[in-house]
Amino acid sequence: MQSPADILKGIWTSAGGDQAALERVRLTGEEPQIPSSFRVAVAGQTTIAAAGLAAAEIWRLRSGKTQDVHVDMRHAVAECRSERYLRLDDKPPPPAWDAIAGVYRTGDNRFVRCHTNFPHHRDAVCKVLGCKAERDEVQAALMHWKGEDFETAAYAAGGVVALMRSYDEWSALPQARALAQLPLISIEKIGEAAPKPWPQGSSKGSSNNDRPLSGLRVLDLSRVIAGPVAGRTLAAHGADVLLVSGPELPAIDWLTIDTGRGKLTTFIELKSETGRAQLRELLEDADIFSQGYRPRALAALGFSPEDAAKINPGIVYVTLSAYGHTGPWAERRGFDSLVQTTSGFNHAEGRAAGLEGPKELPAQMLDHATGYLMAFGAMMAKARQARAGGSWHVRVSLAQTGRWLWNLGRLDGGLNTPDLTGAAVHTAFIESMPSGFGMLKAVRHSALLSTTPAQWSRPAMPLGSHPAQWPVPS
């Protein structure tokens, strides 16, 4: 199996990174760290290290000075489960899942997973099944369905569900074959533009002087985990990140708090022309546009990658999808838990544990690793833009990150590893900070840069707390 250093080298060089920079990275810790037959800990460590090294490389480009990057594996895996260690006024998180979310058996003796944390997704499942939102009723109704038929019908109705497939079953699907032709991260030039000089200084109130991403402006249009983690990472390295949401959009409060550290947050109604005009105005002055909405949703509103490149030549546009941008599932909605289920992870973990049914990975690692890869890709594309010009499109997907994780190999006996306890994390990796919700205790960023330590200089705030404008440069 590849070492963590070799895995990082593969990520780094695939995006055009200079191999010499790898000499300034130190990766510590041994796997496994948490119970899994997959290399989840090293996946977290190497994606976080890639993003940290990209920030250090931008610092070198801007200042002429190099710095070292250190990522400890245990700290990294704790950060990849940051939502479970968050404390608000010393209170732990509420239950992570809706009452009817989870795994069910179907009439053909298969297993399906329903993701119902958003009300409209829950309603879609119940509409297809013709039942109330109660576990017993959902299970009884599913005994009249074949698993794949229900998966298809639920998606058609606007729901998000996944049939549990083995890795071989998944690999035989056209979607898996389409992913096999794609890189882990796609960085493509989508327009001509002059190189943009690095900004001078930082914005008022950001405390981001002398940071790799000082003065860079990031529009963050994302929800749940992967996209918000990318924005949180860019904020940790000094970017002005403005999270754009809408008052009518459902959100998961605990994730909003955890991933909102370091960000400004505003409401814009994109279904109105006034709102679209506001976003266009923000986009004109942005450096990075990062979005995780359903494929084509923003394009229909005039904010496709090509639209963005016309509005702001030189933009770096980052797209997150569930199943990749090509293949028959390119338009399919999805979340980490569903991609795990349908692409073989839950089946493989279950078999490794001696179970008939699915077993989840011990972290939402597809989400978290993809979030760090998004931030990494955004920074590498921005460095290209500053050097050679152009507008750039960065694409990542949960399923492609899953394919990469699977190909890292398996750990014999990995499921016998003692789990990382909350007490151990709170002893070693937690910092306290005020927020717009109360006093937070949260996992510190695990990429330690020797000259420009990562930090979140803005507190997490309730959605919509700030005006739809960029902070004034100091």
Coordinates of all heavy atoms in Angstrom, one line a residue, residues 9-41:
K9 N 1.7 13.0 -2.5 CA 2.4 13.3 -3.8 C 1.5 13.1 -5.0 O 1.5 13.9 -5.9 CB 3.6 12.4 -3.9 CG 4.4 12.6 -5.2 CD 5.6 11.7 -5.2 CE 6.4 11.9 -6.5 NZ 7.6 10.9 -6.6
G10 N 0.7 12.0 -5.0 CA -0.3 11.8 -6.1 C -1.3 12.9 -6.2 O -1.6 13.4 -7.3
I11 N -1.9 13.4 -5.1 CA -2.8 14.5 -5.1 C -2.2 15.7 -5.6 O -2.7 16.4 -6.5 CB -3.4 14.7 -3.7 CG1 -4.2 13.5 -3.2 CG2 -4.4 15.9 -3.7 CD1 -4.6 13.6 -1.7
W12 N -1.0 16.0 -5.0 CA -0.3 17.3 -5.3 C 0.1 17.4 -6.8 O -0.1 18.4 -7.4 CB 0.9 17.4 -4.4 CG 1.7 18.6 -4.5 CD1 3.0 18.7 -5.0 CD2 1.3 20.0 -4.1 NE1 3.4 20.0 -5.0 CE2 2.4 20.8 -4.4 CE3 0.2 20.5 -3.5 CZ2 2.4 22.2 -4.2 CZ3 0.2 21.9 -3.3 CH2 1.2 22.7 -3.6
T13 N 0.8 16.4 -7.3 CA 1.3 16.4 -8.6 C 0.2 16.3 -9.7 O 0.3 16.9 -10.8 CB 2.3 15.3 -8.9 OG1 1.8 14.1 -8.6 CG2 3.6 15.5 -8.0
S14 N -0.9 15.7 -9.3 CA -2.1 15.6 -10.3 C -2.6 17.0 -10.6 O -3.2 17.1 -11.7 CB -3.2 14.7 -9.7 OG -3.9 15.4 -8.7
A15 N -2.5 17.9 -9.7 CA -3.0 19.3 -10.0 C -1.9 20.2 -10.4 O -2.0 21.5 -10.4 CB -3.7 19.8 -8.7
G16 N -0.7 19.7 -10.8 CA 0.4 20.5 -11.2 C 1.3 21.1 -10.2 O 2.1 22.0 -10.5
G17 N 1.2 20.6 -8.9 CA 2.1 21.1 -7.9 C 3.5 20.7 -8.1 O 3.9 19.6 -8.6
D18 N 4.4 21.6 -7.7 CA 5.9 21.4 -7.8 C 6.3 20.3 -6.7 O 6.0 20.5 -5.5 CB 6.6 22.7 -7.5 CG 8.1 22.6 -7.6 OD1 8.6 21.5 -7.8 OD2 8.7 23.7 -7.4
Q19 N 6.9 19.3 -7.2 CA 7.3 18.2 -6.3 C 8.3 18.7 -5.2 O 8.3 18.2 -4.1 CB 8.0 17.1 -7.0 CG 7.1 16.2 -7.9 CD 7.7 14.9 -8.2 OE1 8.3 14.2 -7.4 NE2 7.6 14.5 -9.5
A20 N 9.0 19.7 -5.4 CA 10.0 20.3 -4.4 C 9.2 20.7 -3.2 O 9.8 20.7 -2.1 CB 10.8 21.4 -5.0
A21 N 8.0 21.2 -3.4 CA 7.2 21.7 -2.2 C 6.9 20.6 -1.2 O 6.8 20.8 0.0 CB 5.9 22.4 -2.7
L22 N 6.9 19.3 -1.7 CA 6.5 18.2 -0.8 C 7.6 18.0 0.3 O 7.3 17.4 1.3 CB 6.4 16.9 -1.6 CG 5.2 16.9 -2.6 CD1 5.3 15.8 -3.6 CD2 3.9 16.7 -1.8
E23 N 8.8 18.5 0.0 CA 9.9 18.3 1.0 C 9.6 19.1 2.3 O 10.2 18.9 3.4 CB 11.2 18.8 0.4 CG 11.6 17.9 -0.7 CD 12.9 18.4 -1.4 OE1 13.5 19.4 -0.9 OE2 13.3 17.9 -2.4
R24 N 8.6 20.1 2.2 CA 8.3 21.0 3.3 C 7.1 20.5 4.1 O 6.6 21.2 5.0 CB 8.1 22.4 2.9 CG 9.4 23.0 2.3 CD 9.2 24.5 2.0 NE 8.4 24.7 0.8 CZ 8.8 24.7 -0.5 NH1 10.1 24.5 -0.7 NH2 8.0 25.0 -1.5
V25 N 6.7 19.3 3.8 CA 5.5 18.7 4.5 C 5.9 17.6 5.5 O 6.7 16.7 5.1 CB 4.5 18.1 3.5 CG1 3.2 17.6 4.3 CG2 4.0 19.2 2.5
R26 N 5.4 17.6 6.7 CA 5.6 16.5 7.6 C 4.3 15.9 8.0 O 3.4 16.6 8.5 CB 6.4 17.0 8.9 CG 6.8 15.9 9.8 CD 7.8 16.5 10.8 NE 7.2 17.6 11.6 CZ 6.8 17.5 12.8 NH1 6.8 16.3 13.5 NH2 6.3 18.5 13.5
L27 N 4.1 14.6 7.8 CA 2.9 13.8 8.1 C 3.3 12.9 9.2 O 4.2 12.0 9.1 CB 2.4 13.0 6.9 CG 2.1 13.9 5.6 CD1 1.7 12.9 4.5 CD2 1.0 14.9 5.9
T28 N 2.6 13.0 10.4 CA 2.8 12.2 11.5 C 1.6 11.3 11.9 O 0.5 11.6 11.5 CB 3.3 13.0 12.7 OG1 2.2 14.0 13.0 CG2 4.6 13.7 12.5
G29 N 1.8 10.3 12.6 CA 0.8 9.4 13.1 C 0.7 8.1 12.3 O 1.2 8.0 11.2
E30 N 0.1 7.1 12.9 CA 0.0 5.8 12.3 C -1.5 5.4 12.1 O -2.3 5.8 12.9 CB 0.7 4.7 13.2 CG 2.2 5.0 13.4 CD 3.0 4.9 12.2 OE1 2.6 4.1 11.3 OE2 4.0 5.6 12.1
E31 N -1.8 4.7 11.0 CA -3.1 4.2 10.9 C -3.2 2.7 11.3 O -2.1 2.0 11.4 CB -3.6 4.3 9.4 CG -2.7 3.6 8.4 CD -3.1 3.8 7.0 OE1 -4.3 4.0 6.7 OE2 -2.3 3.7 6.1
P32 N -4.4 2.3 11.7 CA -5.7 3.0 11.7 C -5.8 3.8 13.0 O -5.2 3.6 14.0 CB -6.7 1.9 11.7 CG -6.0 0.7 12.4 CD -4.6 0.8 12.0
Q33 N -6.7 4.8 12.9 CA -7.0 5.7 14.0 C -8.4 5.5 14.5 O -8.7 5.7 15.7 CB -6.9 7.2 13.6 CG -5.4 7.6 13.4 CD -4.7 7.8 14.7 OE1 -5.2 8.0 15.7 NE2 -3.3 7.8 14.6
I34 N -9.3 5.1 13.6 CA -10.7 4.8 14.0 C -11.1 3.5 13.3 O -10.5 3.1 12.3 CB -11.7 6.0 13.6 CG1 -11.5 6.3 12.1 CG2 -11.4 7.2 14.5 CD1 -12.4 7.5 11.7
P35 N -12.2 2.8 13.8 CA -12.5 1.5 13.3 C -13.1 1.5 11.9 O -14.2 1.9 11.7 CB -13.5 1.0 14.4 CG -14.1 2.2 15.0 CD -13.0 3.2 15.0
S36 N -12.3 1.0 11.0 CA -12.7 0.9 9.6 C -11.8 0.0 8.8 O -10.6 -0.1 9.1 CB -12.8 2.2 8.9 OG -13.2 2.1 7.5
S37 N -12.3 -0.7 7.9 CA -11.4 -1.5 7.0 C -10.9 -0.7 5.9 O -10.0 -1.2 5.1 CB -12.2 -2.7 6.4 OG -13.2 -2.3 5.5
F38 N -11.3 0.6 5.8 CA -10.8 1.5 4.8 C -9.8 2.5 5.4 O -9.8 2.7 6.6 CB -11.9 2.2 4.1 CG -12.8 1.3 3.2 CD1 -13.9 0.7 3.7 CD2 -12.4 1.1 1.9 CE1 -14.6 -0.1 2.9 CE2 -13.1 0.3 1.1 CZ -14.3 -0.4 1.6
R39 N -9.0 3.1 4.6 CA -7.9 4.0 5.1 C -8.5 5.4 5.2 O -8.0 6.4 4.6 CB -6.8 4.0 4.1 CG -6.2 2.6 3.9 CD -5.0 2.5 3.0 NE -3.8 3.2 3.6 CZ -2.7 3.4 3.0 NH1 -2.6 3.1 1.7 NH2 -1.7 4.0 3.6
V40 N -9.5 5.5 6.1 CA -10.2 6.8 6.2 C -9.3 7.9 6.9 O -9.3 9.0 6.6 CB -11.5 6.7 7.0 CG1 -12.5 5.9 6.2 CG2 -11.3 5.9 8.3
A41 N -8.5 7.4 7.8 CA -7.6 8.4 8.5 C -6.6 9.0 7.6 O -6.3 10.2 7.6 CB -6.9 7.7 9.7

